[in-house]
Short mmCIF file of all heavy atoms in Angstrom, two decimals:
data_model
loop_
_atom_site.label_atom_id
_atom_site.label_comp_id
_atom_site.label_asym_id
_atom_site.label_seq_id
_atom_site.Cartn_x
_atom_site.Cartn_y
_atom_site.Cartn_z
N THR A 631 0.80 -1.23 0.00
CA THR A 631 0.00 0.00 0.00
C THR A 631 0.83 1.28 0.00
O THR A 631 0.30 2.35 -0.30
CB THR A 631 -0.92 0.03 1.23
OG1 THR A 631 -0.12 0.07 2.44
CG2 THR A 631 -1.84 -1.18 1.26
N HIS A 632 2.12 1.19 0.32
CA HIS A 632 2.91 2.42 0.50
C HIS A 632 4.30 2.22 -0.07
O HIS A 632 5.00 1.27 0.27
CB HIS A 632 2.99 2.76 2.00
CG HIS A 632 3.77 4.01 2.30
ND1 HIS A 632 3.23 5.27 2.18
CD2 HIS A 632 5.05 4.19 2.71
CE1 HIS A 632 4.15 6.18 2.52
NE2 HIS A 632 5.26 5.54 2.82
N TYR A 633 4.72 3.17 -0.94
CA TYR A 633 6.07 3.12 -1.50
C TYR A 633 7.07 3.69 -0.51
O TYR A 633 6.90 4.79 0.02
CB TYR A 633 6.13 3.92 -2.81
CG TYR A 633 7.54 4.13 -3.32
CD1 TYR A 633 8.19 3.11 -4.02
CD2 TYR A 633 8.20 5.33 -3.11
CE1 TYR A 633 9.49 3.31 -4.49
CE2 TYR A 633 9.49 5.54 -3.58
CZ TYR A 633 10.13 4.52 -4.26
OH TYR A 633 11.42 4.71 -4.72
N ASN A 634 8.15 2.95 -0.26
CA ASN A 634 9.22 3.42 0.61
C ASN A 634 10.53 2.82 0.12
O ASN A 634 10.78 1.62 0.26
CB ASN A 634 8.98 2.98 2.06
CG ASN A 634 10.13 3.39 2.98
OD1 ASN A 634 10.52 4.56 3.01
ND2 ASN A 634 10.68 2.42 3.71
N TYR A 635 11.36 3.67 -0.49
CA TYR A 635 12.62 3.19 -1.05
C TYR A 635 13.53 2.69 0.06
O TYR A 635 13.82 3.41 1.02
CB TYR A 635 13.31 4.33 -1.81
CG TYR A 635 14.55 3.92 -2.55
CD1 TYR A 635 14.46 3.42 -3.85
CD2 TYR A 635 15.81 4.02 -1.96
CE1 TYR A 635 15.60 3.04 -4.54
CE2 TYR A 635 16.94 3.65 -2.65
CZ TYR A 635 16.85 3.15 -3.93
OH TYR A 635 17.97 2.77 -4.60
N SER A 636 13.99 1.45 -0.05
CA SER A 636 14.78 0.84 1.02
C SER A 636 15.75 -0.18 0.45
O SER A 636 15.34 -1.17 -0.17
CB SER A 636 13.85 0.16 2.03
OG SER A 636 14.59 -0.61 2.96
N THR A 637 17.02 0.04 0.68
CA THR A 637 18.03 -0.93 0.27
C THR A 637 17.82 -2.26 0.97
O THR A 637 18.12 -3.33 0.41
CB THR A 637 19.44 -0.39 0.56
OG1 THR A 637 19.66 0.77 -0.26
CG2 THR A 637 20.52 -1.42 0.25
N LEU A 638 17.29 -2.23 2.18
CA LEU A 638 17.04 -3.47 2.90
C LEU A 638 16.09 -4.38 2.13
O LEU A 638 16.26 -5.61 2.14
CB LEU A 638 16.48 -3.16 4.30
CG LEU A 638 16.22 -4.38 5.18
CD1 LEU A 638 17.51 -5.15 5.45
CD2 LEU A 638 15.56 -3.95 6.49
N ASP A 639 15.08 -3.82 1.47
CA ASP A 639 14.17 -4.64 0.66
C ASP A 639 14.96 -5.43 -0.39
O ASP A 639 14.70 -6.62 -0.62
CB ASP A 639 13.13 -3.75 -0.03
CG ASP A 639 11.96 -3.39 0.87
OD1 ASP A 639 12.01 -3.74 2.07
OD2 ASP A 639 11.00 -2.76 0.39
N THR A 640 15.91 -4.77 -1.03
CA THR A 640 16.69 -5.44 -2.06
C THR A 640 17.63 -6.49 -1.45
O THR A 640 17.84 -7.56 -2.03
CB THR A 640 17.51 -4.43 -2.87
OG1 THR A 640 16.66 -3.35 -3.27
CG2 THR A 640 18.08 -5.08 -4.13
N ILE A 641 18.18 -6.19 -0.28
CA ILE A 641 19.02 -7.17 0.42
C ILE A 641 18.21 -8.43 0.72
O ILE A 641 18.70 -9.56 0.55
CB ILE A 641 19.58 -6.56 1.71
CG1 ILE A 641 20.56 -5.42 1.40
CG2 ILE A 641 20.23 -7.63 2.57
CD1 ILE A 641 21.84 -5.86 0.74
N VAL A 642 16.97 -8.26 1.14
CA VAL A 642 16.10 -9.40 1.42
C VAL A 642 15.81 -10.19 0.14
O VAL A 642 15.74 -11.42 0.15
CB VAL A 642 14.80 -8.93 2.11
CG1 VAL A 642 13.79 -10.07 2.20
CG2 VAL A 642 15.11 -8.40 3.51
N LEU A 643 15.65 -9.49 -0.98
CA LEU A 643 15.48 -10.18 -2.26
C LEU A 643 16.70 -11.04 -2.58
O LEU A 643 16.59 -12.15 -3.11
CB LEU A 643 15.23 -9.18 -3.38
CG LEU A 643 13.88 -8.48 -3.41
CD1 LEU A 643 13.86 -7.38 -4.48
CD2 LEU A 643 12.75 -9.48 -3.67
N GLY A 644 17.90 -10.54 -2.27
CA GLY A 644 19.11 -11.32 -2.47
C GLY A 644 19.14 -12.55 -1.59
O GLY A 644 19.56 -13.64 -2.02
N TRP A 645 18.71 -12.39 -0.35
CA TRP A 645 18.60 -13.53 0.57
C TRP A 645 17.65 -14.58 0.00
O TRP A 645 17.94 -15.77 -0.01
CB TRP A 645 18.10 -13.00 1.91
CG TRP A 645 18.21 -13.93 3.08
CD1 TRP A 645 18.73 -15.20 3.10
CD2 TRP A 645 17.83 -13.64 4.43
NE1 TRP A 645 18.69 -15.72 4.37
CE2 TRP A 645 18.14 -14.77 5.21
CE3 TRP A 645 17.26 -12.52 5.04
CZ2 TRP A 645 17.87 -14.83 6.59
CZ3 TRP A 645 17.02 -12.58 6.40
CH2 TRP A 645 17.31 -13.73 7.17
N MET A 646 16.49 -14.11 -0.48
CA MET A 646 15.51 -15.00 -1.08
C MET A 646 16.08 -15.71 -2.31
O MET A 646 15.87 -16.92 -2.52
CB MET A 646 14.26 -14.19 -1.43
CG MET A 646 13.12 -14.98 -2.07
SD MET A 646 13.26 -15.15 -3.87
CE MET A 646 13.32 -13.46 -4.41
N LEU A 647 16.83 -14.98 -3.14
CA LEU A 647 17.44 -15.57 -4.34
C LEU A 647 18.39 -16.70 -3.98
O LEU A 647 18.41 -17.75 -4.63
CB LEU A 647 18.19 -14.49 -5.11
CG LEU A 647 17.47 -13.74 -6.21
CD1 LEU A 647 18.31 -12.57 -6.69
CD2 LEU A 647 17.15 -14.67 -7.38
N GLU A 648 19.21 -16.47 -2.97
CA GLU A 648 20.17 -17.49 -2.57
C GLU A 648 19.47 -18.76 -2.09
O GLU A 648 19.90 -19.88 -2.41
CB GLU A 648 21.10 -16.95 -1.48
CG GLU A 648 22.02 -15.86 -1.98
CD GLU A 648 23.17 -15.57 -1.04
OE1 GLU A 648 23.12 -16.01 0.12
OE2 GLU A 648 24.13 -14.90 -1.48
N ARG A 649 18.40 -18.60 -1.33
CA ARG A 649 17.66 -19.77 -0.86
C ARG A 649 16.94 -20.46 -2.00
O ARG A 649 16.89 -21.70 -2.07
CB ARG A 649 16.67 -19.34 0.23
CG ARG A 649 17.34 -18.89 1.50
CD ARG A 649 18.16 -20.04 2.12
NE ARG A 649 18.81 -19.63 3.35
CZ ARG A 649 18.22 -19.56 4.54
NH1 ARG A 649 16.93 -19.87 4.66
NH2 ARG A 649 18.89 -19.19 5.60
N ALA A 650 16.34 -19.69 -2.91
CA ALA A 650 15.58 -20.27 -4.02
C ALA A 650 16.48 -21.03 -4.99
O ALA A 650 16.12 -22.11 -5.48
CB ALA A 650 14.80 -19.18 -4.75
N THR A 651 17.64 -20.47 -5.30
CA THR A 651 18.53 -21.07 -6.29
C THR A 651 19.53 -22.06 -5.67
O THR A 651 20.12 -22.87 -6.38
CB THR A 651 19.34 -20.00 -7.02
OG1 THR A 651 20.20 -19.32 -6.09
CG2 THR A 651 18.41 -18.98 -7.68
N GLY A 652 19.72 -21.96 -4.35
CA GLY A 652 20.71 -22.81 -3.70
C GLY A 652 22.14 -22.39 -3.98
O GLY A 652 23.07 -23.18 -3.81
N GLN A 653 22.31 -21.14 -4.43
CA GLN A 653 23.64 -20.64 -4.77
C GLN A 653 23.83 -19.22 -4.23
O GLN A 653 22.87 -18.46 -4.16
CB GLN A 653 23.82 -20.59 -6.30
CG GLN A 653 23.61 -21.90 -7.02
CD GLN A 653 23.68 -21.71 -8.53
OE1 GLN A 653 24.68 -21.23 -9.06
NE2 GLN A 653 22.62 -22.08 -9.22
N PRO A 654 25.07 -18.85 -3.89
CA PRO A 654 25.32 -17.45 -3.56
C PRO A 654 24.99 -16.55 -4.74
O PRO A 654 25.05 -16.99 -5.90
CB PRO A 654 26.82 -17.43 -3.26
CG PRO A 654 27.19 -18.84 -2.95
CD PRO A 654 26.28 -19.68 -3.79
N VAL A 655 24.66 -15.31 -4.47
CA VAL A 655 24.30 -14.36 -5.52
C VAL A 655 25.37 -14.30 -6.59
O VAL A 655 25.08 -14.32 -7.80
CB VAL A 655 24.03 -12.96 -4.93
CG1 VAL A 655 23.98 -11.90 -6.02
CG2 VAL A 655 22.73 -12.95 -4.14
N GLN A 656 26.65 -14.22 -6.17
CA GLN A 656 27.73 -14.07 -7.14
C GLN A 656 27.87 -15.29 -8.06
O GLN A 656 28.19 -15.16 -9.25
CB GLN A 656 29.06 -13.77 -6.44
CG GLN A 656 29.62 -14.88 -5.59
CD GLN A 656 29.10 -14.86 -4.16
OE1 GLN A 656 28.15 -14.15 -3.85
NE2 GLN A 656 29.74 -15.61 -3.29
N THR A 657 27.60 -16.47 -7.54
CA THR A 657 27.70 -17.69 -8.35
C THR A 657 26.56 -17.77 -9.35
O THR A 657 26.77 -18.05 -10.54
CB THR A 657 27.70 -18.94 -7.45
OG1 THR A 657 28.76 -18.83 -6.51
CG2 THR A 657 27.87 -20.20 -8.28
N TYR A 658 25.34 -17.52 -8.87
CA TYR A 658 24.19 -17.57 -9.77
C TYR A 658 24.30 -16.50 -10.84
O TYR A 658 24.01 -16.74 -12.02
CB TYR A 658 22.90 -17.40 -8.97
CG TYR A 658 21.65 -17.59 -9.81
CD1 TYR A 658 21.36 -18.82 -10.41
CD2 TYR A 658 20.76 -16.54 -10.02
CE1 TYR A 658 20.22 -19.00 -11.17
CE2 TYR A 658 19.61 -16.70 -10.78
CZ TYR A 658 19.35 -17.94 -11.35
OH TYR A 658 18.22 -18.10 -12.13
N MET A 659 24.75 -15.32 -10.46
CA MET A 659 24.91 -14.24 -11.43
C MET A 659 25.94 -14.60 -12.50
O MET A 659 25.75 -14.31 -13.68
CB MET A 659 25.29 -12.94 -10.75
CG MET A 659 25.44 -11.76 -11.71
SD MET A 659 25.77 -10.22 -10.86
CE MET A 659 26.01 -9.12 -12.27
N SER A 660 27.03 -15.23 -12.09
CA SER A 660 28.07 -15.59 -13.04
C SER A 660 27.56 -16.56 -14.09
O SER A 660 27.71 -16.34 -15.29
CB SER A 660 29.27 -16.18 -12.30
OG SER A 660 30.24 -16.63 -13.22
N THR A 661 26.94 -17.65 -13.65
CA THR A 661 26.51 -18.69 -14.59
C THR A 661 25.26 -18.31 -15.36
O THR A 661 25.11 -18.70 -16.52
CB THR A 661 26.27 -20.01 -13.84
OG1 THR A 661 25.28 -19.80 -12.81
CG2 THR A 661 27.55 -20.50 -13.20
N ARG A 662 24.38 -17.53 -14.73
CA ARG A 662 23.07 -17.28 -15.35
C ARG A 662 23.01 -15.98 -16.13
O ARG A 662 22.21 -15.83 -17.04
CB ARG A 662 22.00 -17.28 -14.26
CG ARG A 662 20.57 -17.25 -14.79
CD ARG A 662 20.29 -18.44 -15.70
NE ARG A 662 18.91 -18.44 -16.11
CZ ARG A 662 18.40 -17.67 -17.08
NH1 ARG A 662 19.18 -16.80 -17.71
NH2 ARG A 662 17.13 -17.75 -17.40
N LEU A 663 23.89 -15.01 -15.77
CA LEU A 663 23.83 -13.70 -16.41
C LEU A 663 25.16 -13.28 -17.02
O LEU A 663 25.24 -12.97 -18.21
CB LEU A 663 23.36 -12.65 -15.39
CG LEU A 663 23.29 -11.20 -15.85
CD1 LEU A 663 22.34 -11.04 -17.04
CD2 LEU A 663 22.86 -10.28 -14.70
N TRP A 664 26.22 -13.25 -16.24
CA TRP A 664 27.47 -12.64 -16.67
C TRP A 664 28.16 -13.42 -17.79
O TRP A 664 28.67 -12.84 -18.74
CB TRP A 664 28.40 -12.47 -15.48
CG TRP A 664 29.30 -11.27 -15.56
CD1 TRP A 664 30.66 -11.25 -15.56
CD2 TRP A 664 28.90 -9.89 -15.65
NE1 TRP A 664 31.14 -9.97 -15.63
CE2 TRP A 664 30.07 -9.10 -15.68
CE3 TRP A 664 27.66 -9.25 -15.69
CZ2 TRP A 664 30.04 -7.72 -15.77
CZ3 TRP A 664 27.62 -7.87 -15.77
CH2 TRP A 664 28.80 -7.12 -15.80
N GLN A 665 28.17 -14.74 -17.67
CA GLN A 665 28.82 -15.55 -18.71
C GLN A 665 28.04 -15.55 -20.02
O GLN A 665 28.62 -15.27 -21.08
CB GLN A 665 29.06 -16.97 -18.20
CG GLN A 665 30.08 -17.04 -17.08
CD GLN A 665 30.36 -18.45 -16.61
OE1 GLN A 665 30.20 -19.40 -17.35
NE2 GLN A 665 30.78 -18.58 -15.35
N PRO A 666 26.73 -15.83 -20.00
CA PRO A 666 26.00 -15.75 -21.27
C PRO A 666 25.91 -14.35 -21.85
O PRO A 666 25.73 -14.18 -23.05
CB PRO A 666 24.61 -16.31 -20.91
CG PRO A 666 24.51 -16.22 -19.44
CD PRO A 666 25.90 -16.37 -18.91
N LEU A 667 26.05 -13.32 -21.01
CA LEU A 667 26.04 -11.94 -21.49
C LEU A 667 27.21 -11.66 -22.41
O LEU A 667 27.15 -10.76 -23.26
CB LEU A 667 26.08 -10.98 -20.29
CG LEU A 667 26.06 -9.47 -20.58
CD1 LEU A 667 24.68 -9.01 -21.03
CD2 LEU A 667 26.50 -8.69 -19.35
N GLY A 668 28.31 -12.41 -22.26
CA GLY A 668 29.51 -12.13 -23.04
C GLY A 668 30.27 -10.95 -22.49
O GLY A 668 30.83 -10.15 -23.26
N ALA A 669 30.33 -10.83 -21.16
CA ALA A 669 31.03 -9.72 -20.52
C ALA A 669 32.51 -9.73 -20.89
O ALA A 669 33.11 -10.80 -21.07
CB ALA A 669 30.87 -9.80 -19.00
N GLN A 670 33.10 -8.55 -20.98
CA GLN A 670 34.52 -8.44 -21.35
C GLN A 670 35.44 -8.67 -20.17
O GLN A 670 36.62 -8.99 -20.33
CB GLN A 670 34.81 -7.07 -21.95
CG GLN A 670 34.83 -5.92 -20.94
CD GLN A 670 35.09 -4.57 -21.57
OE1 GLN A 670 34.51 -4.25 -22.60
NE2 GLN A 670 35.99 -3.81 -20.98
N SER A 671 34.91 -8.50 -18.94
CA SER A 671 35.73 -8.63 -17.75
C SER A 671 34.90 -9.22 -16.63
O SER A 671 33.66 -9.28 -16.71
CB SER A 671 36.28 -7.26 -17.33
OG SER A 671 37.11 -7.36 -16.19
N TYR A 672 35.57 -9.67 -15.59
CA TYR A 672 34.87 -10.11 -14.39
C TYR A 672 34.15 -8.91 -13.78
O TYR A 672 34.51 -7.76 -14.02
CB TYR A 672 35.86 -10.71 -13.38
CG TYR A 672 36.87 -9.70 -12.86
CD1 TYR A 672 36.60 -8.95 -11.72
CD2 TYR A 672 38.07 -9.50 -13.51
CE1 TYR A 672 37.51 -8.02 -11.24
CE2 TYR A 672 38.99 -8.56 -13.04
CZ TYR A 672 38.70 -7.82 -11.91
OH TYR A 672 39.60 -6.89 -11.46
N GLY A 673 33.15 -9.17 -12.98
CA GLY A 673 32.57 -8.17 -12.11
C GLY A 673 32.85 -8.58 -10.68
O GLY A 673 33.41 -9.65 -10.43
N TYR A 674 32.46 -7.75 -9.72
CA TYR A 674 32.60 -8.20 -8.33
C TYR A 674 31.64 -7.45 -7.43
O TYR A 674 31.22 -6.33 -7.71
CB TYR A 674 34.05 -8.07 -7.83
CG TYR A 674 34.62 -6.67 -7.76
CD1 TYR A 674 34.43 -5.87 -6.62
CD2 TYR A 674 35.39 -6.15 -8.79
CE1 TYR A 674 34.98 -4.61 -6.53
CE2 TYR A 674 35.95 -4.88 -8.71
CZ TYR A 674 35.74 -4.12 -7.57
OH TYR A 674 36.28 -2.86 -7.47
N TRP A 675 31.28 -8.13 -6.34
CA TRP A 675 30.37 -7.58 -5.34
C TRP A 675 31.14 -7.21 -4.08
O TRP A 675 31.99 -7.96 -3.61
CB TRP A 675 29.31 -8.61 -4.94
CG TRP A 675 28.25 -8.90 -5.96
CD1 TRP A 675 28.22 -9.96 -6.83
CD2 TRP A 675 27.06 -8.14 -6.20
NE1 TRP A 675 27.08 -9.90 -7.59
CE2 TRP A 675 26.35 -8.81 -7.23
CE3 TRP A 675 26.53 -6.98 -5.64
CZ2 TRP A 675 25.13 -8.33 -7.71
CZ3 TRP A 675 25.31 -6.51 -6.13
CH2 TRP A 675 24.63 -7.19 -7.16
N MET A 676 30.81 -6.09 -3.49
CA MET A 676 31.23 -5.79 -2.12
C MET A 676 30.56 -6.81 -1.20
O MET A 676 29.45 -7.28 -1.48
CB MET A 676 30.79 -4.38 -1.71
CG MET A 676 31.38 -3.27 -2.53
SD MET A 676 30.56 -1.67 -2.26
CE MET A 676 30.83 -1.43 -0.50
N THR A 677 31.22 -7.15 -0.09
CA THR A 677 30.63 -8.07 0.87
C THR A 677 30.47 -7.41 2.23
O THR A 677 31.07 -6.37 2.51
CB THR A 677 31.50 -9.34 1.03
OG1 THR A 677 32.70 -8.99 1.74
CG2 THR A 677 31.86 -9.93 -0.33
#
């Protein structure tokens, strides 16, 4: 019912992603997005 911009909401989505896929965000992103994208370089996440 109410819009409230919050980084915590996105952090929780990442938590949900890891549980749903059974993989850390960085691993799932690499195999599912970054590699098929044809990226020119590695990426990296702050921890």
Side-chain angles (χ1 to χ4, degrees):
T631 63
H632 180 81
Y633 170 80
N634 177 53
Y635 186 87
S636 171
T637 295
L638 182 61
D639 278 6
T640 312
I641 293 292
V642 170
L643 288 173
W645 194 1
M646 180 274 302
L647 268 170
E648 292 195 346
R649 292 299 180 80
T651 64
Q653 303 175 57
V655 166
Q656 66 272 13
T657 304
Y658 186 64
M659 181 175 176
S660 175
T661 57
R662 190 58 176 79
L663 177 60
W664 212 240
Q665 293 182 26
L667 180 74
Q670 73 181 46
S671 182
Y672 64 90
Y674 64 87
W675 288 98
M676 298 167 60
T677 71

